[in-house]
Amino acid sequence: PYTTLFRSSGYGLRGGRALLSLIALILSAGLVLQYTGFTGPVPGYLYCALYTAGSVLSLSLANSHLPTVLTAWGDVIRIVLRVGGPVLLGLAALAVRGRVKR
C-alpha cells in the first residue's frame, strides 16, 4: 500500500503529484466517511471533507453538524488519514526542498 502511495506521489521528487494525491485522499475519504463513517444522521459532504482535512492535519474540528461517534469504518478511515496525510505532506516538502537546494 505504501509503495503505491510513494509511486503516485513521485517518490518525493514531484511536489505537485504529492499534493494532488493528498487532495484525492481527502476528497475520497470524505465521500466514504459520509456514507459509512458516522453513526446517527448523515452529515453533508462538505462537513465530511472538512473533517477529513482536519484529521490529516491533526486538528480538532468540533462541529455541531457532525456526530461525535465514528463507526468502525470511520475509525479506519481516520487512521489512514492520520498516517497517509503527513506522509504525502512530507513527500511534497521533500520535493520542494530538492528543487530549492539545486
Coordinates of all heavy atoms in Angstrom, one line a residue:
P1 N 0.8 -1.2 0.0 CA 0.0 0.0 0.0 C 0.8 1.3 0.0 O 0.5 2.2 -0.7 CB -0.8 -0.1 1.3 CG -0.6 -1.4 1.9 CD 0.5 -2.1 1.1
Y2 N 1.9 1.3 0.8 CA 2.8 2.5 0.9 C 3.6 2.6 -0.4 O 3.9 3.7 -0.8 CB 3.7 2.5 2.1 CG 2.9 2.8 3.3 CD1 2.8 1.8 4.3 CD2 2.4 4.0 3.5 CE1 2.1 2.1 5.5 CE2 1.7 4.3 4.7 CZ 1.5 3.4 5.6 OH 0.8 3.6 6.8
T3 N 3.9 1.5 -1.1 CA 4.6 1.6 -2.4 C 3.8 2.4 -3.4 O 4.3 3.2 -4.1 CB 5.0 0.2 -2.9 OG1 5.6 -0.5 -1.9 CG2 5.8 0.3 -4.1
T4 N 2.5 2.1 -3.4 CA 1.6 2.8 -4.3 C 1.5 4.3 -3.9 O 1.5 5.1 -4.8 CB 0.2 2.2 -4.3 OG1 0.3 0.8 -4.5 CG2 -0.7 2.8 -5.3
L5 N 1.5 4.5 -2.6 CA 1.4 5.9 -2.2 C 2.7 6.7 -2.6 O 2.6 7.8 -3.1 CB 1.3 5.9 -0.6 CG 1.1 7.3 0.1 CD1 -0.3 7.8 -0.3 CD2 1.3 7.1 1.5
F6 N 3.9 6.1 -2.5 CA 5.1 6.7 -2.9 C 5.2 6.9 -4.4 O 5.6 7.9 -4.9 CB 6.3 6.0 -2.4 CG 6.5 6.1 -0.9 CD1 6.7 4.9 -0.2 CD2 6.5 7.3 -0.2 CE1 6.9 5.0 1.2 CE2 6.7 7.3 1.1 CZ 6.9 6.2 1.8
R7 N 4.7 5.9 -5.1 CA 4.8 5.9 -6.6 C 3.9 7.0 -7.1 O 4.2 7.7 -8.0 CB 4.4 4.5 -7.1 CG 4.8 4.4 -8.6 CD 4.5 3.0 -9.1 NE 5.0 2.0 -8.2 CZ 4.4 0.8 -8.0 NH1 3.4 0.5 -8.7 NH2 4.9 -0.1 -7.2
S8 N 2.7 7.0 -6.6 CA 1.7 8.0 -7.1 C 2.1 9.5 -6.8 O 1.7 10.4 -7.4 CB 0.3 7.7 -6.6 OG 0.3 8.0 -5.2
S9 N 2.9 9.6 -5.7 CA 3.3 11.0 -5.4 C 4.7 11.3 -5.9 O 5.2 12.4 -5.6 CB 3.3 11.1 -3.8 OG 4.2 10.2 -3.3
G10 N 5.3 10.5 -6.7 CA 6.5 10.8 -7.4 C 7.7 10.6 -6.6 O 8.8 11.2 -6.8
Y11 N 7.7 9.8 -5.5 CA 8.8 9.4 -4.7 C 9.5 10.7 -4.1 O 10.7 10.7 -3.8 CB 9.9 8.6 -5.5 CG 9.4 7.3 -5.9 CD1 9.0 7.1 -7.2 CD2 9.3 6.2 -5.0 CE1 8.6 5.8 -7.6 CE2 8.9 5.0 -5.4 CZ 8.5 4.8 -6.7 OH 8.1 3.6 -7.1
G12 N 8.7 11.7 -3.8 CA 9.3 12.9 -3.2 C 10.0 13.8 -4.2 O 10.8 14.7 -3.8
L13 N 9.9 13.5 -5.5 CA 10.6 14.3 -6.5 C 9.6 15.2 -7.2 O 10.0 16.2 -7.8 CB 11.2 13.4 -7.5 CG 12.3 12.5 -7.0 CD1 12.8 11.5 -8.0 CD2 13.5 13.3 -6.4
R14 N 8.3 15.0 -7.1 CA 7.3 15.8 -7.7 C 6.3 16.3 -6.7 O 5.5 15.5 -6.2 CB 6.6 15.0 -8.8 CG 7.5 14.3 -9.7 CD 7.1 14.6 -11.1 NE 7.9 13.8 -12.1 CZ 8.9 14.2 -12.7 NH1 9.4 15.4 -12.5 NH2 9.5 13.5 -13.6
G15 N 6.5 17.5 -6.3 CA 5.6 18.1 -5.3 C 4.1 18.2 -5.7 O 3.3 18.0 -4.9
G16 N 3.9 18.5 -7.0 CA 2.5 18.6 -7.5 C 1.8 17.3 -7.4 O 0.6 17.2 -7.0
R17 N 2.5 16.2 -7.7 CA 1.8 14.9 -7.6 C 1.5 14.5 -6.1 O 0.4 13.9 -5.8 CB 2.8 13.8 -8.1 CG 2.8 13.6 -9.6 CD 3.5 12.4 -9.9 NE 3.9 12.3 -11.3 CZ 4.7 11.4 -11.8 NH1 5.2 10.5 -11.1 NH2 5.0 11.5 -13.1
A18 N 2.4 14.9 -5.2 CA 2.1 14.6 -3.8 C 0.9 15.4 -3.3 O 0.1 14.9 -2.6 CB 3.3 14.9 -3.0
L19 N 0.8 16.6 -3.7 CA -0.3 17.4 -3.3 C -1.6 17.0 -3.9 O -2.7 17.0 -3.3 CB 0.0 18.9 -3.6 CG 1.1 19.5 -2.7 CD1 1.3 21.0 -3.1 CD2 0.7 19.5 -1.2
L20 N -1.6 16.6 -5.2 CA -2.8 16.1 -5.9 C -3.2 14.8 -5.2 O -4.4 14.5 -5.1 CB -2.5 15.9 -7.3 CG -2.5 17.2 -8.2 CD1 -2.2 16.8 -9.6 CD2 -3.9 17.8 -8.1
S21 N -2.2 13.9 -4.8 CA -2.6 12.7 -4.2 C -3.2 13.0 -2.8 O -4.1 12.3 -2.4 CB -1.3 11.8 -4.0 OG -0.8 11.4 -5.2
L22 N -2.7 14.0 -2.1 CA -3.3 14.4 -0.8 C -4.7 14.9 -1.0 O -5.6 14.5 -0.2 CB -2.4 15.4 -0.1 CG -2.9 15.9 1.2 CD1 -2.9 14.8 2.2 CD2 -2.0 17.1 1.7
I23 N -4.9 15.7 -2.0 CA -6.3 16.2 -2.2 C -7.2 15.1 -2.6 O -8.4 15.0 -2.1 CB -6.3 17.3 -3.3 CG1 -5.6 18.5 -2.8 CG2 -7.7 17.6 -3.8 CD1 -5.3 19.6 -3.8
A24 N -6.7 14.1 -3.4 CA -7.6 13.0 -3.8 C -7.9 12.1 -2.6 O -9.0 11.6 -2.4 CB -6.9 12.1 -4.9
L25 N -6.9 11.9 -1.7 CA -7.1 11.2 -0.5 C -8.2 11.8 0.4 O -9.1 11.2 0.9 CB -5.8 11.0 0.3 CG -5.9 10.3 1.6 CD1 -6.2 8.8 1.4 CD2 -4.6 10.5 2.4
I26 N -8.1 13.2 0.6 CA -9.0 13.9 1.4 C -10.4 13.8 0.8 O -11.4 13.5 1.6 CB -8.6 15.3 1.6 CG1 -7.3 15.4 2.5 CG2 -9.7 16.2 2.2 CD1 -6.7 16.8 2.6
L27 N -10.6 14.0 -0.5 CA -11.9 14.1 -1.1 C -12.5 12.7 -1.1 O -13.7 12.5 -0.8 CB -11.8 14.6 -2.5 CG -11.4 16.1 -2.6 CD1 -11.3 16.6 -4.0 CD2 -12.4 17.0 -1.8
S28 N -11.7 11.7 -1.4 CA -12.3 10.3 -1.4 C -12.6 9.8 0.0 O -13.6 9.1 0.2 CB -11.4 9.3 -2.2 OG -10.1 9.3 -1.5
A29 N -11.8 10.1 0.9 CA -12.1 9.7 2.3 C -13.3 10.5 2.8 O -14.1 9.9 3.6 CB -10.9 10.0 3.2
G30 N -13.5 11.7 2.4 CA -14.7 12.4 2.8 C -16.0 11.8 2.2 O -17.0 11.7 2.9
L31 N -15.9 11.3 1.0 CA -17.0 10.6 0.4 C -17.4 9.3 1.1 O -18.5 9.0 1.4 CB -16.8 10.4 -1.1 CG -17.9 9.8 -1.9 CD1 -19.1 10.8 -1.9 CD2 -17.4 9.5 -3.3
V32 N -16.3 8.5 1.4 CA -16.5 7.3 2.1 C -17.0 7.5 3.5 O -17.9 6.8 4.0 CB -15.2 6.4 2.1 CG1 -15.4 5.2 3.0 CG2 -14.9 6.1 0.7
L33 N -16.5 8.5 4.2 CA -16.9 8.9 5.5 C -18.3 9.3 5.6 O -19.0 9.0 6.6 CB -15.9 9.9 6.1 CG -15.9 10.2 7.6 CD1 -15.4 8.9 8.3 CD2 -15.1 11.4 7.9
Q34 N -18.8 10.0 4.6 CA -20.2 10.4 4.6 C -21.1 9.2 4.6 O -22.2 9.3 5.3 CB -20.5 11.3 3.3 CG -21.9 11.8 3.3 CD -22.1 12.5 2.0 OE1 -21.3 12.6 1.1 NE2 -23.3 13.1 1.9
Y35 N -20.8 8.2 3.9 CA -21.7 7.0 3.8 C -21.5 5.9 4.9 O -22.4 5.2 5.2 CB -21.7 6.4 2.4 CG -22.2 7.3 1.4 CD1 -21.4 8.0 0.5 CD2 -23.6 7.6 1.4 CE1 -21.9 8.8 -0.5 CE2 -24.1 8.5 0.4 CZ -23.2 9.1 -0.5 OH -23.7 10.0 -1.4
T36 N -20.3 5.8 5.4 CA -20.0 4.7 6.4 C -19.4 5.1 7.6 O -19.1 4.3 8.5 CB -19.1 3.7 5.7 OG1 -17.9 4.2 5.4 CG2 -19.7 3.1 4.5
G37 N -19.1 6.4 7.8 CA -18.2 6.8 8.9 C -18.9 7.2 10.2 O -18.3 7.1 11.3
F38 N -20.1 7.8 10.1 CA -20.7 8.3 11.3 C -21.9 7.6 11.7 O -22.7 7.0 10.8 CB -21.1 9.8 11.1 CG -19.9 10.7 10.9 CD1 -19.6 11.2 9.7 CD2 -19.1 11.0 12.0 CE1 -18.5 12.1 9.5 CE2 -18.0 11.9 11.8 CZ -17.7 12.4 10.6
T39 N -22.2 7.5 13.0 CA -23.5 7.0 13.4 C -24.5 8.1 13.5 O -24.1 9.3 13.7 CB -23.3 6.3 14.8 OG1 -22.9 7.3 15.7 CG2 -22.3 5.2 14.8
G40 N -25.7 7.8 13.4 CA -26.8 8.8 13.5 C -27.1 9.4 12.2 O -26.9 8.8 11.1
P41 N -27.6 10.6 12.2 CA -27.9 11.3 10.9 C -26.7 11.5 10.0 O -25.6 11.8 10.5 CB -28.5 12.6 11.4 CG -28.1 12.8 12.7 CD -27.8 11.5 13.3
V42 N -26.9 11.4 8.8 CA -25.8 11.5 7.8 C -25.5 13.0 7.6 O -26.4 13.8 7.1 CB -26.1 10.8 6.5 CG1 -25.0 11.0 5.5 CG2 -26.4 9.4 6.7
P43 N -24.3 13.5 7.8 CA -23.9 14.9 7.6 C -23.6 15.1 6.1 O -23.5 14.1 5.3 CB -22.6 15.1 8.4 CG -22.1 13.7 8.5 CD -23.2 12.8 8.5
G44 N -23.6 16.3 5.6 CA -23.3 16.6 4.3 C -21.9 16.4 3.9 O -21.0 16.2 4.7
Y45 N -21.6 16.3 2.6 CA -20.3 16.0 2.1 C -19.3 17.1 2.5 O -18.1 16.8 2.8 CB -20.3 15.8 0.6 CG -19.0 15.6 0.0 CD1 -18.3 14.4 0.2 CD2 -18.3 16.6 -0.7 CE1 -17.0 14.2 -0.3 CE2 -17.0 16.4 -1.2 CZ -16.4 15.2 -1.0 OH -15.1 15.0 -1.5
L46 N -19.7 18.3 2.5 CA -18.7 19.4 2.8 C -18.2 19.3 4.2 O -17.0 19.4 4.5 CB -19.4 20.8 2.6 CG -18.6 22.0 3.0 CD1 -17.4 22.1 2.0 CD2 -19.4 23.2 2.9
Y47 N -19.1 18.9 5.2 CA -18.7 18.7 6.5 C -17.8 17.5 6.7 O -16.8 17.5 7.4 CB -19.9 18.6 7.5 CG -20.7 19.8 7.5 CD1 -22.0 19.9 7.0 CD2 -20.2 21.0 8.1 CE1 -22.8 21.0 7.1 CE2 -20.9 22.1 8.1 CZ -22.2 22.1 7.6 OH -23.0 23.3 7.7
C48 N -18.0 16.5 5.9 CA -17.2 15.3 6.0 C -15.8 15.6 5.4 O -14.8 15.1 5.9 CB -17.8 14.1 5.2 SG -19.3 13.5 6.1
A49 N -15.8 16.3 4.3 CA -14.5 16.7 3.7 C -13.7 17.6 4.6 O -12.5 17.5 4.7 CB -14.7 17.4 2.3
L50 N -14.3 18.5 5.3 CA -13.6 19.4 6.3 C -13.1 18.5 7.4 O -12.0 18.8 8.0 CB -14.6 20.5 6.8 CG -14.9 21.6 5.8 CD1 -15.9 22.5 6.4 CD2 -13.6 22.3 5.4
Y51 N -13.9 17.5 7.9 CA -13.5 16.7 8.9 C -12.2 15.9 8.5 O -11.3 15.7 9.3 CB -14.6 15.7 9.3 CG -14.2 14.8 10.4 CD1 -14.3 15.2 11.8 CD2 -13.8 13.5 10.2 CE1 -14.0 14.4 12.8 CE2 -13.5 12.7 11.2 CZ -13.6 13.1 12.5 OH -13.2 12.3 13.6
T52 N -12.2 15.4 7.3 CA -11.1 14.6 6.8 C -9.8 15.5 6.7 O -8.7 15.1 7.0 CB -11.3 13.9 5.5 OG1 -11.7 14.8 4.5 CG2 -12.4 12.8 5.6
A53 N -10.0 16.7 6.2 CA -8.9 17.6 6.1 C -8.3 17.9 7.5 O -7.1 18.0 7.7 CB -9.3 18.9 5.4
G54 N -9.2 18.1 8.5 CA -8.8 18.3 9.9 C -8.1 17.1 10.4 O -7.1 17.2 11.2
S55 N -8.5 15.9 10.0 CA -7.8 14.7 10.5 C -6.4 14.6 10.0 O -5.5 14.1 10.6 CB -8.7 13.5 10.1 OG -9.9 13.5 10.9
V56 N -6.2 15.0 8.7 CA -4.9 14.9 8.1 C -4.0 15.8 8.9 O -2.8 15.5 9.1 CB -5.0 15.3 6.6 CG1 -3.6 15.6 6.1 CG2 -5.6 14.2 5.8
L57 N -4.4 17.0 9.2 CA -3.6 18.0 9.9 C -3.6 17.9 11.4 O -3.1 18.7 12.1 CB -4.0 19.4 9.5 CG -3.9 19.7 8.0 CD1 -4.5 21.1 7.7 CD2 -2.5 19.7 7.6
S58 N -4.3 16.8 11.9 CA -4.5 16.6 13.4 C -5.1 17.7 14.1 O -4.7 18.1 15.2 CB -3.1 16.2 14.0 OG -2.6 15.0 13.4
L59 N -6.1 18.4 13.4 CA -6.9 19.4 14.1 C -8.1 18.9 14.7 O -8.7 18.0 14.1 CB -7.2 20.5 13.0 CG -6.1 21.3 12.4 CD1 -6.6 22.2 11.3 CD2 -5.3 22.1 13.4
S60 N -8.5 19.4 15.8 CA -9.8 19.0 16.4 C -10.9 20.0 15.9 O -10.9 21.1 16.3 CB -9.7 19.1 17.9 OG -11.0 18.8 18.5
L61 N -11.7 19.5 15.0 CA -12.7 20.4 14.4 C -14.1 20.0 15.1 O -14.8 19.2 14.6 CB -12.9 20.2 12.9 CG -11.6 20.6 12.1 CD1 -11.8 20.3 10.7 CD2 -11.4 22.1 12.3
A62 N -14.3 20.7 16.2 CA -15.6 20.4 16.9 C -16.7 21.2 16.1 O -16.7 22.4 16.0 CB -15.5 20.9 18.3
N63 N -17.6 20.4 15.6 CA -18.6 21.0 14.7 C -19.9 20.4 15.1 O -20.1 19.2 15.3 CB -18.3 20.7 13.2 CG -19.1 21.5 12.3 OD1 -20.2 22.0 12.7 ND2 -18.7 21.6 11.1
S64 N -20.9 21.2 15.3 CA -22.2 20.7 15.7 C -23.0 19.9 14.6 O -23.9 19.2 14.9 CB -23.1 21.9 16.2 OG -23.3 22.8 15.1
H65 N -22.5 20.0 13.4 CA -23.2 19.3 12.3 C -22.7 17.9 12.2 O -23.3 17.1 11.4 CB -22.9 20.0 11.0 CG -23.4 21.4 10.9 ND1 -24.8 21.7 10.8 CD2 -22.8 22.6 11.0 CE1 -24.9 23.0 10.8 NE2 -23.8 23.6 10.9
L66 N -21.6 17.5 12.8 CA -21.1 16.1 12.7 C -21.4 15.4 14.0 O -21.2 15.9 15.1 CB -19.6 16.2 12.5 CG -19.1 16.7 11.2 CD1 -17.6 16.9 11.1 CD2 -19.6 15.9 10.0
P67 N -21.8 14.1 13.9 CA -21.9 13.3 15.1 C -20.5 13.1 15.7 O -19.5 13.1 15.0 CB -22.4 12.0 14.6 CG -23.0 12.3 13.2 CD -22.2 13.4 12.7
T68 N -20.4 12.9 17.0 CA -19.1 12.7 17.7 C -18.6 11.3 17.7 O -17.5 11.1 17.9 CB -19.2 13.2 19.1 OG1 -20.3 12.5 19.8 CG2 -19.5 14.7 19.2
V69 N -19.5 10.3 17.4 CA -19.1 8.9 17.4 C -18.9 8.4 16.0 O -19.8 8.6 15.2 CB -20.2 8.1 18.1 CG1 -19.8 6.6 18.2 CG2 -20.4 8.6 19.6
L70 N -17.7 7.8 15.8 CA -17.4 7.2 14.5 C -17.7 5.7 14.5 O -17.6 5.1 15.6 CB -15.9 7.4 14.1 CG -15.5 8.8 13.9 CD1 -14.0 8.8 13.7 CD2 -16.1 9.3 12.6
T71 N -18.1 5.2 13.4 CA -18.2 3.7 13.3 C -16.8 3.1 13.2 O -15.8 3.8 13.2 CB -19.0 3.4 12.0 OG1 -18.3 3.8 10.9 CG2 -20.4 4.0 12.1
A72 N -16.8 1.8 13.1 CA -15.5 1.1 13.0 C -14.8 1.5 11.7 O -13.6 1.7 11.6 CB -15.7 -0.4 13.0
W73 N -15.6 1.6 10.6 CA -15.0 2.1 9.3 C -14.6 3.5 9.4 O -13.6 3.9 8.8 CB -16.0 1.9 8.2 CG -16.1 0.5 7.7 CD1 -17.1 -0.4 7.9 CD2 -15.1 -0.2 7.0 NE1 -16.8 -1.6 7.4 CE2 -15.6 -1.5 6.8 CE3 -13.8 0.1 6.6 CZ2 -14.8 -2.5 6.2 CZ3 -13.1 -0.9 5.9 CH2 -13.6 -2.2 5.7
G74 N -15.3 4.3 10.2 CA -14.9 5.7 10.3 C -13.5 5.8 11.1 O -12.7 6.6 10.7
D75 N -13.3 4.9 12.0 CA -12.0 4.9 12.7 C -10.9 4.4 11.8 O -9.8 5.0 11.8 CB -12.1 3.9 13.9 CG -12.8 4.5 15.1 OD1 -12.9 5.8 15.2 OD2 -13.4 3.8 15.9
V76 N -11.2 3.5 10.9 CA -10.2 3.0 10.0 C -9.8 4.2 9.0 O -8.6 4.4 8.7 CB -10.7 1.8 9.2 CG1 -9.8 1.5 8.0 CG2 -10.8 0.6 10.1
I77 N -10.8 4.9 8.5 CA -10.5 6.0 7.6 C -9.7 7.1 8.3 O -8.8 7.6 7.7 CB -11.9 6.6 7.1 CG1 -12.6 5.5 6.2 CG2 -11.7 7.9 6.4 CD1 -14.0 5.9 5.9
R78 N -10.0 7.3 9.6 CA -9.3 8.4 10.3 C -7.8 7.9 10.5 O -6.9 8.8 10.4 CB -10.0 8.6 11.6 CG -9.4 9.8 12.4 CD -10.3 10.1 13.5 NE -9.8 11.3 14.1 CZ -9.9 11.6 15.4 NH1 -10.6 10.8 16.2 NH2 -9.4 12.7 15.9
I79 N -7.6 6.7 10.8 CA -6.2 6.2 10.9 C -5.5 6.3 9.6 O -4.3 6.7 9.6 CB -6.2 4.7 11.4 CG1 -6.7 4.7 12.9 CG2 -4.8 4.1 11.3 CD1 -7.0 3.3 13.4
V80 N -6.1 5.9 8.5 CA -5.4 6.1 7.2 C -5.1 7.5 6.9 O -4.0 7.8 6.4 CB -6.4 5.5 6.1 CG1 -5.9 5.9 4.7 CG2 -6.4 4.0 6.2
L81 N -6.0 8.4 7.3 CA -5.7 9.8 7.1 C -4.6 10.3 8.0 O -3.8 11.2 7.5 CB -7.0 10.7 7.3 CG -8.1 10.5 6.3 CD1 -9.4 11.2 6.8 CD2 -7.7 11.2 5.0
R82 N -4.6 9.9 9.2 CA -3.5 10.3 10.1 C -2.1 9.8 9.7 O -1.2 10.5 10.1 CB -3.9 9.8 11.6 CG -5.1 10.5 12.2 CD -4.7 11.7 12.9 NE -5.8 12.4 13.4 CZ -5.9 12.8 14.7 NH1 -5.0 12.5 15.6 NH2 -7.0 13.5 15.1
V83 N -2.1 8.7 9.0 CA -0.8 8.2 8.6 C -0.5 8.7 7.1 O 0.6 9.3 6.9 CB -0.7 6.7 8.6 CG1 0.5 6.1 8.0 CG2 -0.9 6.2 10.0
G84 N -1.4 8.6 6.2 CA -1.2 8.9 4.8 C -1.0 10.4 4.6 O -0.2 10.8 3.7
G85 N -1.8 11.2 5.3 CA -1.7 12.7 5.1 C -0.3 13.3 5.4 O 0.2 13.9 4.5
P86 N 0.2 13.0 6.6 CA 1.6 13.5 6.8 C 2.6 13.0 5.9 O 3.6 13.7 5.6 CB 1.8 13.1 8.3 CG 0.4 13.1 8.9 CD -0.4 12.5 7.8
V87 N 2.5 11.7 5.5 CA 3.5 11.1 4.6 C 3.4 11.9 3.3 O 4.5 12.3 2.7 CB 3.2 9.6 4.3 CG1 4.0 9.1 3.1 CG2 3.5 8.8 5.6
L88 N 2.3 12.2 2.7 CA 2.2 12.9 1.5 C 2.6 14.4 1.7 O 3.3 14.9 0.8 CB 0.7 12.9 1.0 CG 0.3 11.6 0.4 CD1 -1.2 11.6 0.1 CD2 1.1 11.2 -0.9
L89 N 2.3 15.0 2.8 CA 2.8 16.4 3.0 C 4.4 16.3 3.1 O 5.0 17.3 2.6 CB 2.2 16.9 4.3 CG 0.8 17.4 4.3 CD1 0.3 17.8 5.6 CD2 0.7 18.6 3.3
G90 N 4.9 15.3 3.8 CA 6.4 15.2 3.8 C 7.0 15.0 2.5 O 8.1 15.6 2.2
L91 N 6.4 14.2 1.6 CA 6.9 14.0 0.3 C 6.9 15.3 -0.5 O 7.8 15.6 -1.3 CB 6.2 12.9 -0.4 CG 6.4 11.5 0.1 CD1 5.5 10.5 -0.5 CD2 7.9 11.1 -0.2
A92 N 5.8 16.1 -0.4 CA 5.7 17.4 -1.1 C 6.8 18.3 -0.6 O 7.4 19.0 -1.3 CB 4.3 18.0 -0.9
A93 N 7.0 18.3 0.8 CA 8.1 19.2 1.3 C 9.5 18.7 0.8 O 10.3 19.6 0.5 CB 8.0 19.1 2.9
L94 N 9.7 17.4 0.7 CA 11.0 16.9 0.2 C 11.2 17.4 -1.3 O 12.3 17.7 -1.7 CB 11.1 15.4 0.3 CG 11.4 14.8 1.6 CD1 11.3 13.3 1.6 CD2 12.8 15.3 2.1
A95 N 10.1 17.3 -2.1 CA 10.2 17.8 -3.4 C 10.5 19.3 -3.5 O 11.4 19.7 -4.4 CB 8.9 17.5 -4.2
V96 N 9.9 20.1 -2.7 CA 10.2 21.5 -2.7 C 11.6 21.7 -2.2 O 12.4 22.5 -2.8 CB 9.2 22.3 -1.8 CG1 9.6 23.7 -1.6 CG2 7.8 22.2 -2.4
R97 N 12.1 21.0 -1.2 CA 13.4 21.1 -0.7 C 14.4 20.8 -1.8 O 15.5 21.4 -2.0 CB 13.6 20.3 0.5 CG 15.0 20.3 1.0 CD 15.1 19.5 2.3 NE 16.5 19.4 2.7 CZ 17.3 18.3 2.5 NH1 16.9 17.3 1.8 NH2 18.5 18.3 2.9
G98 N 14.1 19.7 -2.5 CA 15.0 19.3 -3.6 C 15.1 20.3 -4.7 O 16.2 20.5 -5.3
R99 N 14.1 21.0 -5.0 CA 14.1 22.0 -6.1 C 14.8 23.2 -5.6 O 15.5 23.9 -6.4 CB 12.6 22.4 -6.4 CG 11.8 21.3 -7.1 CD 12.1 21.3 -8.5 NE 11.3 20.2 -9.1 CZ 11.3 19.9 -10.3 NH1 12.1 20.5 -11.1 NH2 10.6 18.9 -10.8
V100 N 14.7 23.6 -4.4 CA 15.3 24.8 -3.9 C 16.8 24.6 -3.6 O 17.6 25.5 -3.9 CB 14.7 25.3 -2.5 CG1 15.4 26.4 -1.9 CG2 13.2 25.7 -2.8
K101 N 17.2 23.4 -3.3 CA 18.6 23.1 -2.9 C 19.5 23.1 -4.1 O 20.7 23.3 -4.0 CB 18.6 21.7 -2.2 CG 19.9 21.4 -1.5 CD 19.8 20.1 -0.7 CE 21.1 19.9 0.0 NZ 21.0 18.7 0.8
R102 N 19.0 22.8 -5.3 CA 19.8 22.7 -6.5 C 20.5 24.0 -6.9 O 20.3 25.0 -6.8 CB 19.0 22.3 -7.7 CG 18.6 20.8 -7.6 CD 17.9 20.5 -8.9 NE 17.1 19.2 -8.7 CZ 16.4 18.7 -9.5 NH1 16.2 19.2 -10.7 NH2 15.7 17.6 -9.3

